[in-house]
Amino acid sequence: MSSNGDDAHFEVFLPDIWQPLEHLLSSHPKYRRVFNQAIDQLFYGRGPMAAHERHYVALMAASRHRCHYLMNLHRREFTRLGGNREWLKGLSHVPLKISSMDALNGVLAHQPWAITTDHLTVEMAKYAWKLQALTKCRSPANWSLSELVQATIVLAQTHVLCSFILGSGGIEPNTTADESLAAGRFQSEKENGQEGEVELLLKRMHELQGIKACEHELQLSELQRQRHFLEVHTTDSISETDNSGTAMGVVACRTAGNANDETASLYARDLRFSYIDFALCARNGTARTHKIHDLSWEDQGYSCVDELYNEMADILDKKFTLTQNLTYFTMGGYSDVDTSKYRTAIWMYIHSLYGIRHDDYNYGEVNMMLSREMKTFIKTICCFPDKTTASLRQSVMVDFQPSEKVHVLLMVMESRLQAELIYLFRTLLRLFTSPSPC
């Protein structure tokens, strides 16, 4: 690790095992610099958890999404940093303190809105989960709050890295997909003179210029705002009907029937537990929308991390801020383009997948900016990254430059990370104010 004394140019060099991931980020050097700082601090820097424990928790997180690049990476780093090889036999061979993170790992990865200090009914009763169960009393099997915050950030950062890696296909591609079919179809559309994706986006961004979404939304009633928020999902290609009648809109109920699942099941129990469409849960009354003004990263999340794991607070804040504002003013072959509407639509759509609503945003812009295919792609890499295929990747951003596709994946990764952490901090703040269970 080296530094020239200027934080803006603070350069961190990760172990060689991270190089394939760093290579994917090479087209965005500003982001890569902050990303390297985050990984270095989270897995190798100061903190309440031992380094090998952090990598084992990350192995658990990567297993939930069956991201074998990250599973192999964290297995190797766990061993290199002195971890007990017996733990690699599975969760039944690790201390109770570590294995007790499994339930949180599952809920945080798939249904983060279900994290609560009180039992919350979700589709599977065993996943009604208490944060207090990990922190109550003074037992070797329980976590301190600072340990819990670090462990949960490890889980969340690893979940979203799975989305980035499997969404890109650059490190762990799906070799079973028919790439030539997708490529041929979209080339044919261009030859037939259909309007290109970029041209359509430019037209729609121009139409939205001058619309004051904030004023428009403030004039709506609460019921109208909630309806507009939930209507964002009515044009998803993924819906409850795709799951052959599975209750509550579980989009991709998984089975542990192959070698990949057998490996993942060593470190993550019940791989059938999965994402549920939040919009369906809200309509059924089984989940409540989180309004961002009640708790946000900027107003409460940052302070929570700063108090319990202050080494990460500024790094996370820089990473979120940089990603939301990162632009090169290009789109496809066009330059001098204001892409803010498009970037904001991606961020807001991902938050909506996890039930987070911004009352000063006009959700009609999501459907204008994101095509049905693009929403399907984003939803898949967020909620079911291991289901991403080459055909799905090639169905979107056809005219984008490779670096622009990576840029979109960065926004997906950081928006999802912020969503997971918002629910964690909401629960932690409630825990701070609740009576001690002991």
Coordinates of all heavy atoms in Angstrom, one line a residue, residues 111-200:
Q111 N -34.2 -10.6 1.5 CA -35.4 -9.9 2.0 C -35.0 -9.0 3.2 O -35.4 -9.1 4.3 CB -36.5 -10.8 2.5 CG -37.0 -11.8 1.4 CD -37.9 -12.9 2.0 OE1 -38.6 -12.7 3.0 NE2 -37.9 -14.0 1.4
P112 N -34.1 -8.0 2.9 CA -33.5 -7.2 4.0 C -34.6 -6.4 4.8 O -34.3 -6.1 5.9 CB -32.6 -6.3 3.2 CG -33.0 -6.2 1.8 CD -33.6 -7.6 1.6
W113 N -35.7 -6.1 4.2 CA -36.8 -5.4 4.9 C -37.3 -6.3 6.1 O -38.0 -5.7 7.0 CB -37.9 -5.1 4.0 CG -38.6 -6.2 3.3 CD1 -39.6 -7.0 3.8 CD2 -38.2 -6.8 2.0 NE1 -39.9 -8.0 2.9 CE2 -39.1 -7.9 1.8 CE3 -37.3 -6.4 1.0 CZ2 -39.1 -8.6 0.6 CZ3 -37.3 -7.2 -0.2 CH2 -38.1 -8.3 -0.4
A114 N -37.0 -7.6 6.1 CA -37.5 -8.5 7.2 C -36.6 -8.5 8.4 O -36.9 -9.1 9.4 CB -37.6 -9.9 6.6
I115 N -35.5 -7.7 8.4 CA -34.6 -7.7 9.5 C -35.3 -6.8 10.6 O -35.6 -5.6 10.3 CB -33.2 -7.1 9.2 CG1 -32.6 -7.9 8.1 CG2 -32.3 -7.0 10.4 CD1 -31.3 -7.3 7.6
T116 N -35.5 -7.3 11.8 CA -36.1 -6.6 12.8 C -35.7 -7.1 14.2 O -35.2 -8.2 14.3 CB -37.7 -6.7 12.7 OG1 -38.3 -6.0 13.8 CG2 -38.1 -8.2 12.7
T117 N -35.9 -6.2 15.2 CA -35.5 -6.7 16.5 C -36.7 -7.5 17.1 O -36.5 -8.3 18.0 CB -35.4 -5.5 17.5 OG1 -36.5 -4.6 17.4 CG2 -34.2 -4.6 17.1
D118 N -37.8 -7.5 16.5 CA -38.9 -8.3 16.9 C -39.1 -9.4 15.8 O -38.7 -9.2 14.7 CB -40.2 -7.5 17.1 CG -40.1 -6.5 18.2 OD1 -39.5 -6.9 19.3 OD2 -40.5 -5.4 18.0
H119 N -39.8 -10.5 16.2 CA -40.1 -11.5 15.2 C -41.0 -10.9 14.1 O -42.0 -10.2 14.4 CB -40.7 -12.7 15.8 CG -39.8 -13.6 16.6 ND1 -38.8 -14.2 16.0 CD2 -39.7 -13.8 17.9 CE1 -38.1 -14.9 16.9 NE2 -38.6 -14.7 18.0
L120 N -40.6 -11.1 12.9 CA -41.4 -10.6 11.7 C -41.7 -11.8 10.9 O -40.9 -12.6 10.5 CB -40.5 -9.6 10.9 CG -41.2 -9.0 9.6 CD1 -42.4 -8.1 10.1 CD2 -40.2 -8.3 8.8
T121 N -43.0 -11.9 10.6 CA -43.5 -13.1 9.8 C -43.1 -12.8 8.3 O -43.4 -11.9 7.7 CB -45.0 -13.2 9.9 OG1 -45.4 -13.4 11.2 CG2 -45.5 -14.4 9.1
V122 N -42.3 -13.8 7.8 CA -42.0 -13.8 6.4 C -42.5 -15.2 5.9 O -43.1 -15.9 6.6 CB -40.5 -13.6 6.1 CG1 -40.1 -12.2 6.5 CG2 -39.7 -14.6 6.9
E123 N -42.2 -15.5 4.6 CA -42.8 -16.6 4.0 C -42.4 -17.9 4.8 O -43.2 -18.8 4.9 CB -42.3 -16.8 2.6 CG -43.1 -17.9 1.9 CD -42.5 -18.2 0.5 OE1 -41.3 -17.8 0.3 OE2 -43.2 -18.8 -0.2
M124 N -41.2 -18.0 5.3 CA -40.8 -19.2 6.0 C -40.6 -18.9 7.4 O -39.8 -18.0 7.8 CB -39.5 -19.8 5.3 CG -39.6 -20.1 3.9 SD -38.1 -20.7 3.1 CE -38.0 -22.3 4.0
A125 N -41.2 -19.6 8.3 CA -41.2 -19.2 9.7 C -39.8 -19.3 10.3 O -39.5 -18.5 11.2 CB -42.2 -20.2 10.5
K126 N -39.0 -20.1 9.8 CA -37.6 -20.2 10.4 C -36.8 -19.0 10.2 O -35.8 -18.7 10.8 CB -36.9 -21.4 9.9 CG -36.5 -21.3 8.4 CD -35.5 -22.4 8.0 CE -36.2 -23.8 8.0 NZ -35.3 -24.8 7.5
Y127 N -37.3 -18.1 9.2 CA -36.6 -16.9 8.9 C -37.2 -15.7 9.6 O -36.8 -14.6 9.3 CB -36.5 -16.7 7.4 CG -35.4 -17.5 6.8 CD1 -35.7 -18.8 6.3 CD2 -34.1 -17.1 6.8 CE1 -34.7 -19.5 5.7 CE2 -33.1 -17.8 6.2 CZ -33.4 -19.1 5.7 OH -32.4 -19.8 5.2
A128 N -38.1 -15.9 10.5 CA -38.5 -14.8 11.4 C -37.3 -14.7 12.3 O -36.9 -15.6 13.0 CB -39.8 -15.2 12.2
W129 N -36.8 -13.5 12.3 CA -35.4 -13.4 12.9 C -35.2 -12.2 13.8 O -35.8 -11.1 13.5 CB -34.4 -13.3 11.7 CG -33.0 -13.3 12.0 CD1 -32.3 -14.5 12.3 CD2 -32.1 -12.2 12.2 NE1 -31.0 -14.1 12.7 CE2 -30.9 -12.8 12.6 CE3 -32.2 -10.9 12.0 CZ2 -29.8 -12.0 12.8 CZ3 -31.2 -10.1 12.3 CH2 -29.9 -10.7 12.6
K130 N -34.5 -12.4 14.9 CA -34.2 -11.3 15.8 C -32.8 -10.9 15.8 O -31.9 -11.7 16.0 CB -34.6 -11.7 17.2 CG -36.0 -11.6 17.6 CD -36.2 -11.9 19.0 CE -37.7 -11.7 19.5 NZ -37.8 -12.0 20.9
L131 N -32.5 -9.6 15.6 CA -31.1 -9.1 15.7 C -30.7 -9.3 17.2 O -29.5 -9.6 17.4 CB -31.1 -7.7 15.3 CG -29.7 -7.0 15.2 CD1 -28.9 -7.7 14.2 CD2 -29.9 -5.5 14.9
Q132 N -31.6 -9.2 18.1 CA -31.2 -9.3 19.5 C -30.6 -10.7 19.8 O -29.8 -10.8 20.7 CB -32.4 -9.1 20.4 CG -32.8 -7.6 20.5 CD -34.1 -7.4 21.3 OE1 -34.9 -8.4 21.4 NE2 -34.3 -6.3 21.8
A133 N -31.0 -11.7 19.0 CA -30.5 -13.0 19.3 C -28.9 -13.1 19.1 O -28.3 -14.0 19.8 CB -31.1 -14.0 18.3
L134 N -28.4 -12.2 18.3 CA -26.9 -12.3 18.1 C -26.2 -11.4 19.2 O -25.0 -11.6 19.4 CB -26.5 -11.7 16.7 CG -26.9 -12.6 15.6 CD1 -26.5 -11.9 14.3 CD2 -26.4 -14.0 15.7
T135 N -26.9 -10.5 19.8 CA -26.1 -9.6 20.7 C -26.5 -9.6 22.1 O -25.8 -9.0 23.0 CB -26.4 -8.1 20.2 OG1 -27.8 -7.9 20.2 CG2 -25.9 -7.9 18.8
K136 N -27.6 -10.3 22.5 CA -28.0 -10.3 23.9 C -27.1 -11.0 24.8 O -26.4 -12.0 24.4 CB -29.5 -10.9 24.0 CG -29.5 -12.4 23.7 CD -31.0 -12.9 23.9 CE -31.0 -14.4 23.6 NZ -32.4 -14.9 23.8
C137 N -27.0 -10.6 26.0 CA -26.2 -11.2 27.1 C -24.7 -11.2 26.8 O -24.3 -10.9 25.7 CB -26.7 -12.6 27.4 SG -28.5 -12.8 27.7
R138 N -24.0 -11.7 27.7 CA -22.5 -11.7 27.6 C -22.1 -13.2 27.5 O -21.8 -13.8 28.4 CB -21.8 -11.0 28.8 CG -22.0 -9.5 28.8 CD -21.4 -8.9 30.0 NE -21.5 -7.5 30.0 CZ -22.6 -6.8 30.3 NH1 -23.6 -7.4 30.7 NH2 -22.6 -5.5 30.3
S139 N -22.1 -13.7 26.3 CA -21.8 -15.1 26.0 C -20.7 -15.1 24.9 O -20.7 -14.3 24.0 CB -23.1 -15.8 25.6 OG -22.7 -17.1 25.0
P140 N -19.8 -16.1 24.9 CA -18.9 -16.2 23.9 C -19.5 -16.4 22.5 O -18.9 -16.2 21.5 CB -18.1 -17.5 24.3 CG -18.2 -17.6 25.7 CD -19.6 -17.1 26.0
A141 N -20.8 -16.9 22.5 CA -21.4 -17.1 21.2 C -22.1 -15.9 20.7 O -22.7 -15.9 19.6 CB -22.5 -18.2 21.3
N142 N -22.1 -14.8 21.4 CA -22.8 -13.6 21.0 C -21.8 -12.5 20.5 O -20.6 -12.6 20.8 CB -23.6 -13.0 22.1 CG -24.7 -13.8 22.5 OD1 -24.8 -14.3 23.7 ND2 -25.6 -14.1 21.6
W143 N -22.3 -11.6 19.7 CA -21.5 -10.6 19.0 C -21.6 -9.3 19.7 O -22.6 -8.9 20.2 CB -22.0 -10.4 17.6 CG -21.8 -11.6 16.7 CD1 -22.6 -12.8 16.7 CD2 -20.9 -11.8 15.6 NE1 -22.1 -13.7 15.8 CE2 -21.1 -13.1 15.1 CE3 -19.9 -11.0 15.1 CZ2 -20.3 -13.6 14.0 CZ3 -19.1 -11.5 14.1 CH2 -19.3 -12.8 13.5
S144 N -20.5 -8.6 19.8 CA -20.5 -7.2 20.2 C -21.1 -6.4 19.0 O -21.2 -6.8 17.9 CB -19.1 -6.6 20.5 OG -18.4 -6.5 19.3
L145 N -21.7 -5.2 19.3 CA -22.3 -4.4 18.3 C -21.2 -4.0 17.2 O -21.5 -4.0 16.0 CB -22.9 -3.1 18.8 CG -24.2 -3.4 19.6 CD1 -24.7 -2.1 20.2 CD2 -25.3 -3.9 18.6
S146 N -20.0 -3.7 17.6 CA -19.0 -3.3 16.6 C -18.6 -4.5 15.7 O -18.5 -4.4 14.5 CB -17.7 -2.8 17.3 OG -17.2 -3.8 18.2
E147 N -18.6 -5.7 16.3 CA -18.3 -6.9 15.5 C -19.5 -7.2 14.5 O -19.3 -7.5 13.4 CB -18.2 -8.2 16.4 CG -16.9 -8.2 17.2 CD -16.9 -9.4 18.1 OE1 -18.0 -9.8 18.7 OE2 -15.8 -10.0 18.3
L148 N -20.7 -7.0 15.0 CA -21.9 -7.2 14.2 C -21.9 -6.3 13.0 O -22.2 -6.7 11.9 CB -23.1 -7.1 15.1 CG -24.5 -7.4 14.3 CD1 -24.5 -8.8 13.8 CD2 -25.6 -7.1 15.3
V149 N -21.6 -5.0 13.3 CA -21.6 -4.1 12.2 C -20.5 -4.4 11.1 O -20.8 -4.4 9.9 CB -21.3 -2.6 12.7 CG1 -21.1 -1.7 11.5 CG2 -22.6 -2.1 13.5
Q150 N -19.3 -4.8 11.6 CA -18.3 -5.2 10.6 C -18.7 -6.4 9.8 O -18.6 -6.5 8.6 CB -17.0 -5.4 11.3 CG -15.9 -5.8 10.2 CD -14.5 -5.9 10.9 OE1 -14.4 -6.4 12.0 NE2 -13.5 -5.5 10.1
A151 N -19.2 -7.4 10.5 CA -19.7 -8.7 9.9 C -20.8 -8.4 8.9 O -20.8 -9.0 7.8 CB -20.1 -9.7 10.9
T152 N -21.7 -7.6 9.2 CA -22.8 -7.3 8.3 C -22.4 -6.5 7.1 O -22.9 -6.8 6.0 CB -24.0 -6.6 9.1 OG1 -24.2 -7.2 10.3 CG2 -25.2 -6.5 8.2
I153 N -21.5 -5.6 7.3 CA -20.9 -4.9 6.1 C -20.2 -5.9 5.2 O -20.3 -5.8 3.9 CB -20.0 -3.7 6.5 CG1 -20.9 -2.7 7.2 CG2 -19.4 -3.1 5.3 CD1 -20.1 -1.5 7.8
V154 N -19.5 -6.8 5.8 CA -18.8 -7.9 5.0 C -19.8 -8.7 4.2 O -19.7 -8.9 3.0 CB -18.0 -8.8 5.9 CG1 -17.6 -10.1 5.1 CG2 -16.8 -8.1 6.4
L155 N -20.9 -9.1 4.9 CA -22.0 -9.8 4.2 C -22.6 -9.0 3.0 O -22.7 -9.5 1.9 CB -23.1 -10.1 5.1 CG -22.9 -11.2 6.2 CD1 -24.1 -11.3 7.2 CD2 -22.6 -12.6 5.6
A156 N -22.9 -7.7 3.3 CA -23.6 -6.9 2.3 C -22.6 -6.6 1.1 O -23.1 -6.7 -0.1 CB -24.1 -5.6 2.9
Q157 N -21.4 -6.3 1.4 CA -20.4 -6.0 0.3 C -20.2 -7.2 -0.5 O -20.1 -7.1 -1.8 CB -19.1 -5.5 0.9 CG -18.0 -5.1 -0.1 CD -18.4 -3.9 -1.0 OE1 -18.4 -2.8 -0.5 NE2 -18.8 -4.2 -2.2
T158 N -20.2 -8.4 0.1 CA -20.0 -9.6 -0.7 C -21.2 -9.9 -1.6 O -21.1 -10.3 -2.7 CB -19.7 -10.7 0.2 OG1 -18.5 -10.4 1.0 CG2 -19.3 -12.0 -0.6
H159 N -22.4 -9.7 -1.0 CA -23.7 -9.9 -1.8 C -23.6 -9.1 -3.0 O -23.9 -9.6 -4.1 CB -24.9 -9.5 -0.9 CG -25.2 -10.4 0.2 ND1 -25.9 -10.0 1.3 CD2 -24.8 -11.7 0.5 CE1 -25.9 -10.9 2.2 NE2 -25.3 -12.0 1.7
V160 N -23.3 -7.8 -2.9 CA -23.4 -6.9 -4.1 C -22.2 -7.2 -5.1 O -22.4 -7.0 -6.3 CB -23.4 -5.5 -3.7 CG1 -24.6 -5.2 -2.7 CG2 -22.2 -5.0 -3.0
L161 N -21.1 -7.7 -4.6 CA -20.0 -8.1 -5.5 C -20.5 -9.3 -6.3 O -20.1 -9.4 -7.5 CB -18.8 -8.4 -4.7 CG -17.8 -7.2 -4.4 CD1 -16.7 -7.7 -3.5 CD2 -17.3 -6.6 -5.6
C162 N -21.3 -10.1 -5.7 CA -21.8 -11.3 -6.5 C -22.7 -10.7 -7.7 O -22.6 -11.2 -8.8 CB -22.7 -12.1 -5.6 SG -21.8 -13.1 -4.4
S163 N -23.5 -9.7 -7.4 CA -24.3 -9.1 -8.5 C -23.4 -8.5 -9.6 O -23.6 -8.7 -10.7 CB -25.1 -7.9 -7.9 OG -26.2 -8.5 -7.1
F164 N -22.3 -7.8 -9.2 CA -21.4 -7.2 -10.1 C -20.7 -8.3 -11.0 O -20.7 -8.2 -12.2 CB -20.4 -6.3 -9.4 CG -19.4 -5.7 -10.3 CD1 -19.7 -4.5 -11.0 CD2 -18.1 -6.2 -10.5 CE1 -18.8 -3.9 -11.9 CE2 -17.2 -5.6 -11.4 CZ -17.5 -4.5 -12.1
I165 N -20.2 -9.3 -10.3 CA -19.4 -10.3 -11.0 C -20.3 -11.1 -12.0 O -20.0 -11.3 -13.1 CB -18.7 -11.2 -10.0 CG1 -17.5 -10.4 -9.3 CG2 -18.1 -12.4 -10.7 CD1 -17.0 -11.1 -8.1
L166 N -21.4 -11.6 -11.4 CA -22.3 -12.5 -12.2 C -23.0 -11.6 -13.3 O -23.4 -12.1 -14.3 CB -23.2 -13.2 -11.3 CG -22.6 -14.2 -10.4 CD1 -23.6 -14.7 -9.3 CD2 -22.0 -15.4 -11.2
G167 N -23.3 -10.4 -13.0 CA -23.9 -9.5 -13.9 C -23.0 -9.2 -15.1 O -23.5 -9.0 -16.3
S168 N -21.7 -9.1 -14.9 CA -20.8 -8.7 -15.9 C -20.4 -9.9 -16.8 O -20.2 -9.8 -18.0 CB -19.5 -8.1 -15.4 OG -18.7 -9.1 -14.7
G169 N -20.3 -11.1 -16.2 CA -19.9 -12.3 -16.9 C -18.4 -12.3 -17.2 O -17.9 -13.2 -17.9
G170 N -17.7 -11.3 -16.8 CA -16.3 -11.1 -17.2 C -15.4 -12.0 -16.4 O -14.3 -12.3 -16.9
I171 N -15.8 -12.4 -15.2 CA -15.0 -13.3 -14.4 C -15.6 -14.7 -14.3 O -14.9 -15.7 -14.4 CB -14.8 -12.7 -13.0 CG1 -14.1 -11.4 -13.0 CG2 -14.1 -13.7 -12.1 CD1 -14.0 -10.7 -11.7
E172 N -16.9 -14.8 -14.2 CA -17.5 -16.0 -14.0 C -18.7 -16.1 -14.9 O -19.9 -16.0 -14.6 CB -18.0 -16.2 -12.5 CG -18.5 -17.5 -12.2 CD -18.7 -17.7 -10.7 OE1 -18.1 -16.9 -9.9 OE2 -19.5 -18.5 -10.3
P173 N -18.5 -16.3 -16.2 CA -19.5 -16.2 -17.2 C -20.4 -17.5 -17.2 O -19.9 -18.5 -16.7 CB -18.8 -16.2 -18.6 CG -17.5 -16.8 -18.3 CD -17.1 -16.5 -16.9
N174 N -21.6 -17.3 -17.6 CA -22.5 -18.5 -17.8 C -22.3 -19.1 -19.1 O -22.7 -18.5 -20.1 CB -24.0 -18.0 -17.6 CG -24.9 -19.2 -17.6 OD1 -24.7 -20.2 -18.3 ND2 -26.0 -19.1 -16.8
T175 N -21.6 -20.2 -19.2 CA -21.2 -20.8 -20.5 C -22.3 -21.6 -21.1 O -22.2 -22.1 -22.2 CB -20.0 -21.7 -20.3 OG1 -20.3 -22.7 -19.3 CG2 -18.8 -20.9 -19.8
T176 N -23.5 -21.7 -20.5 CA -24.6 -22.5 -21.0 C -25.5 -21.7 -21.9 O -26.3 -22.2 -22.6 CB -25.4 -23.2 -19.9 OG1 -26.0 -22.2 -19.1 CG2 -24.5 -24.0 -19.0
A177 N -25.4 -20.4 -21.8 CA -26.3 -19.5 -22.6 C -25.9 -19.5 -24.0 O -24.8 -19.6 -24.4 CB -26.3 -18.1 -22.0
D178 N -26.9 -19.3 -24.9 CA -26.7 -19.2 -26.3 C -26.4 -17.8 -26.7 O -27.3 -17.0 -27.0 CB -27.9 -19.7 -27.1 CG -27.7 -19.8 -28.6 OD1 -26.7 -19.3 -29.1 OD2 -28.6 -20.4 -29.3
E179 N -25.1 -17.4 -26.7 CA -24.7 -16.0 -27.0 C -25.0 -15.6 -28.4 O -25.4 -14.5 -28.7 CB -23.2 -15.8 -26.7 CG -22.9 -16.0 -25.2 CD -21.5 -15.7 -24.9 OE1 -21.0 -14.7 -25.5 OE2 -20.9 -16.3 -24.1
S180 N -24.8 -16.5 -29.4 CA -24.9 -16.1 -30.8 C -26.4 -15.8 -31.1 O -26.6 -14.9 -31.9 CB -24.5 -17.3 -31.7 OG -25.2 -18.4 -31.4
L181 N -27.3 -16.4 -30.5 CA -28.7 -16.1 -30.7 C -29.1 -14.7 -30.3 O -29.7 -14.0 -31.1 CB -29.6 -17.1 -29.9 CG -31.1 -16.9 -30.1 CD1 -31.6 -17.0 -31.5 CD2 -31.9 -17.8 -29.1
A182 N -28.6 -14.3 -29.1 CA -28.9 -12.9 -28.7 C -28.2 -11.9 -29.6 O -28.8 -10.9 -30.0 CB -28.5 -12.8 -27.2
A183 N -27.0 -12.2 -29.9 CA -26.2 -11.2 -30.7 C -26.9 -11.1 -32.1 O -27.0 -10.0 -32.6 CB -24.8 -11.6 -30.8
G184 N -27.3 -12.2 -32.6 CA -27.8 -12.1 -34.0 C -29.2 -11.4 -34.0 O -29.5 -10.7 -34.9
R185 N -30.0 -11.6 -33.0 CA -31.3 -11.0 -32.9 C -31.2 -9.5 -32.9 O -31.8 -8.8 -33.6 CB -32.1 -11.5 -31.7 CG -33.5 -10.9 -31.6 CD -34.3 -11.5 -30.5 NE -33.9 -11.0 -29.2 CZ -33.3 -11.7 -28.3 NH1 -32.9 -12.9 -28.5 NH2 -33.0 -11.2 -27.1
F186 N -30.3 -8.9 -32.0 CA -30.2 -7.5 -31.9 C -29.5 -6.9 -33.1 O -29.8 -5.7 -33.4 CB -29.5 -7.1 -30.6 CG -30.4 -7.5 -29.4 CD1 -30.1 -8.6 -28.6 CD2 -31.5 -6.8 -29.1 CE1 -30.9 -9.0 -27.5 CE2 -32.4 -7.2 -28.1 CZ -32.0 -8.3 -27.3
Q187 N -28.6 -7.6 -33.7 CA -28.0 -7.0 -34.9 C -29.0 -6.9 -36.0 O -29.1 -5.9 -36.8 CB -26.8 -8.0 -35.4 CG -26.1 -7.5 -36.6 CD -25.4 -6.1 -36.4 OE1 -25.0 -5.8 -35.3 NE2 -25.4 -5.3 -37.4
S188 N -29.9 -7.9 -36.1 CA -31.0 -7.9 -37.1 C -31.9 -6.7 -36.9 O -32.3 -6.0 -37.8 CB -31.8 -9.2 -37.0 OG -32.9 -9.1 -37.9
E189 N -32.2 -6.4 -35.6 CA -33.1 -5.2 -35.3 C -32.4 -3.9 -35.8 O -33.1 -3.0 -36.3 CB -33.3 -5.1 -33.8 CG -34.3 -6.2 -33.3 CD -34.5 -6.2 -31.8 OE1 -33.8 -5.3 -31.2 OE2 -35.2 -7.0 -31.3
K190 N -31.1 -3.8 -35.6 CA -30.4 -2.6 -36.0 C -30.5 -2.4 -37.6 O -30.7 -1.4 -38.1 CB -29.0 -2.6 -35.6 CG -28.8 -2.5 -34.1 CD -29.1 -1.2 -33.5 CE -28.0 -0.2 -33.8 NZ -28.3 1.1 -33.2
E191 N -30.3 -3.6 -38.3 CA -30.3 -3.6 -39.7 C -31.6 -3.2 -40.3 O -31.7 -2.7 -41.4 CB -29.8 -4.9 -40.2 CG -28.3 -5.2 -40.0 CD -27.9 -6.6 -40.3 OE1 -28.8 -7.4 -40.7 OE2 -26.7 -6.9 -40.3
N192 N -32.7 -3.6 -39.5 CA -34.0 -3.3 -40.0 C -34.4 -1.8 -39.8 O -35.6 -1.5 -40.0 CB -35.0 -4.2 -39.3 CG -34.9 -5.6 -39.8 OD1 -34.4 -5.9 -40.9 ND2 -35.4 -6.6 -38.9
G193 N -33.5 -1.0 -39.2 CA -33.8 0.4 -39.1 C -34.6 0.8 -37.9 O -35.0 1.9 -37.8
Q194 N -34.7 -0.1 -36.9 CA -35.4 0.2 -35.7 C -34.6 1.2 -34.9 O -33.4 1.2 -34.9 CB -35.7 -1.0 -34.9 CG -36.7 -2.0 -35.5 CD -37.0 -3.2 -34.6 OE1 -36.9 -3.1 -33.4 NE2 -37.5 -4.2 -35.2
E195 N -35.3 2.1 -34.1 CA -34.6 3.1 -33.3 C -33.8 2.4 -32.3 O -34.2 1.5 -31.6 CB -35.7 4.0 -32.7 CG -35.1 5.2 -32.0 CD -36.2 6.2 -31.5 OE1 -37.2 5.7 -31.2 OE2 -35.9 7.4 -31.5
G196 N -32.5 2.9 -32.2 CA -31.6 2.3 -31.3 C -31.9 2.6 -29.8 O -32.6 3.6 -29.5
E197 N -31.4 1.8 -28.9 CA -31.6 2.0 -27.5 C -31.1 3.4 -27.0 O -31.8 4.1 -26.3 CB -30.9 0.9 -26.7 CG -31.1 1.0 -25.2 CD -30.4 -0.2 -24.5 OE1 -29.5 -0.8 -25.1 OE2 -30.8 -0.4 -23.3
V198 N -29.9 3.8 -27.5 CA -29.4 5.0 -27.0 C -30.2 6.2 -27.5 O -30.5 7.2 -26.8 CB -27.9 5.2 -27.5 CG1 -27.4 6.6 -27.2 CG2 -27.0 4.2 -26.7
E199 N -30.6 6.2 -28.8 CA -31.4 7.2 -29.4 C -32.7 7.4 -28.7 O -33.1 8.5 -28.4 CB -31.6 7.0 -30.9 CG -30.4 7.2 -31.8 CD -29.4 6.0 -31.7 OE1 -29.8 4.9 -31.2 OE2 -28.2 6.2 -32.1
L200 N -33.3 6.3 -28.3 CA -34.6 6.4 -27.6 C -34.4 7.0 -26.2 O -35.2 7.8 -25.7 CB -35.2 5.0 -27.4 CG -36.5 4.9 -26.7 CD1 -37.6 5.7 -27.5 CD2 -37.0 3.4 -26.6

